Amino acid sequence: MTAERDQLKNSLNSRTKERDQLQNNLNTKTTEKNQLQNSLNTRTTERNQLQNSLTTKTKEKDQLQNTLTTITQERNQLQNSLNTRTTERDQLQNSLNSRTKERDQLQNSLTTRTKDRDKQQNSLKVMTAERDQLKYYLNSRTKERDQLQNSLNTRTTERDQLQNSLNTTTTERDRFKTRLRFYEKPCLDGWWKFGTSCYYVSSTMDSSGAGQKECRTMGGELVIINSREEQIFIHGFKKNVWIGTFKKDRIWKWVDDTPFKPTYWMEGEPNNLNDEVACVEISQTASDPLKSWKDGPCIPKHWVCEKPFTP
């Protein structure tokens, strides 16, 4: 009985050594897979419990035999588990290899795409620089065009103004010619006919008051301007002449006390505002006949008389 027990015990020790070797192999494989390690730890705990039970009941052959059978089954299960985990490990390794290849392919593709992107980025920078340069040229040309357009508009406005002035002057000249032809010699010698009046331009110079006295001796008065046509007509004598207006007590009046309008002052005139007595001349320094009145002291100048035309 003791021999049999020893034999069983040896057999149990042998099985235990085999189990320990398998356990070591299992620990190595379990390191690669955490799930296998958890399972192995569970089985190891059971084995330790069985080992304690085997030690306690060593004297009982049947119990040892059962324990041996249990350990053998555990070994087989562990072997199967080891084979299963090894297969899973190999599958995972193959899967890892496949993923590594895919990663390398993706990395190569990414590198290629990055190079393409960098080329396109460089090309975009070149295009952007060219666009900005063209935009600068366009803005410069637009400014030049606008300046030329403004200059053209200014020249066109000036041309239109000159054309209007020419048309006005031509119309007035034609009117004067028509009237002069119609009244070829309507007034006395030395007098000019315009409208319903005769006009005399002095050949000598005198003060405005002296001119007024001379006009009255000839049956007239210093000229009173009643219209723009009459103003242009008097300006056409091409002399600086007194007309029939004066300032007394700082109030402008015509010699016949008619309302003082219309007026045809030069720019900046009248400028003798503080003088209590002043006279008005039609000045030839003004290019525009409708802006040719100038006030000043009543010193000697030529003067113009006006009297009604008597057929």
Side-chain angles (χ1 to χ4, degrees), residues 24-37 79-98:
N24 289 332
N25 289 334
L26 181 61
N27 288 338
T28 300
K29 300 304 184 205
T30 302
T31 300
E32 298 173 357
K33 295 303 283 183
N34 291 331
Q35 292 179 353
L36 183 60
Q37 181 62 51
Q79 183 65 50
N80 291 333
S81 179
L82 177 62
N83 293 337
T84 301
R85 294 298 183 271
T86 301
T87 302
E88 290 177 354
R89 184 203 62 188
D90 294 340
Q91 290 176 347
L92 289 171
Q93 185 64 47
N94 292 332
S95 179
L96 176 62
N97 292 337
S98 298

Side-chain angles (χ1 to χ4, degrees), residues 1-2 6 12 72 119 130 171 203 225 228 243 252:
M1 186 68 179
T2 299
D6 293 338
L12 178 60
T72 301
K119 289 180 180 179
E130 292 177 353
T171 300
S203 58
I225 307 298
R228 64 192 304 274
I243 60 176
W252 291 104

Side-chain angles (χ1 to χ4, degrees), residues 240-243 279-283 292-295 301:
N240 295 336
V241 294
W242 293 125
I243 60 176
C279 297
V280 176
E281 66 169 303
I282 293 180
S283 176
S292 59
W293 286 9
K294 183 178 180 182
D295 73 336
K301 291 183 184 290

Side-chain angles (χ1 to χ4, degrees), residues 107-122:
Q107 184 64 45
N108 291 334
S109 179
L110 176 61
T111 301
T112 302
R113 294 294 185 278
T114 301
K115 290 180 180 179
D116 292 341
R117 183 204 63 192
D118 292 341
K119 289 180 180 179
Q120 291 177 357
Q121 186 68 35
N122 291 332

Side-chain angles (χ1 to χ4, degrees), residues 153-205:
N153 292 339
T154 301
R155 296 296 183 276
T156 301
T157 301
E158 293 174 351
R159 183 203 64 191
D160 294 341
Q161 290 174 348
L162 290 173
Q163 184 64 45
N164 291 333
S165 178
L166 177 62
N167 292 340
T168 300
T169 303
T170 301
T171 300
E172 292 171 350
R173 182 202 63 192
D174 293 342
R175 288 177 182 173
F176 295 152
K177 285 184 177 179
T178 300
R179 290 174 181 175
L180 288 174
R181 284 196 300 269
F182 184 75
Y183 301 106
E184 190 172 3
K185 291 183 179 179
C187 297
L188 297 175
D189 288 342
W191 291 73
W192 295 83
K193 177 71 175 63
F194 181 80
T196 60
S197 298
C198 293
Y199 299 86
Y200 175 82
V201 182
S202 71
S203 58
T204 61
M205 294 190 293

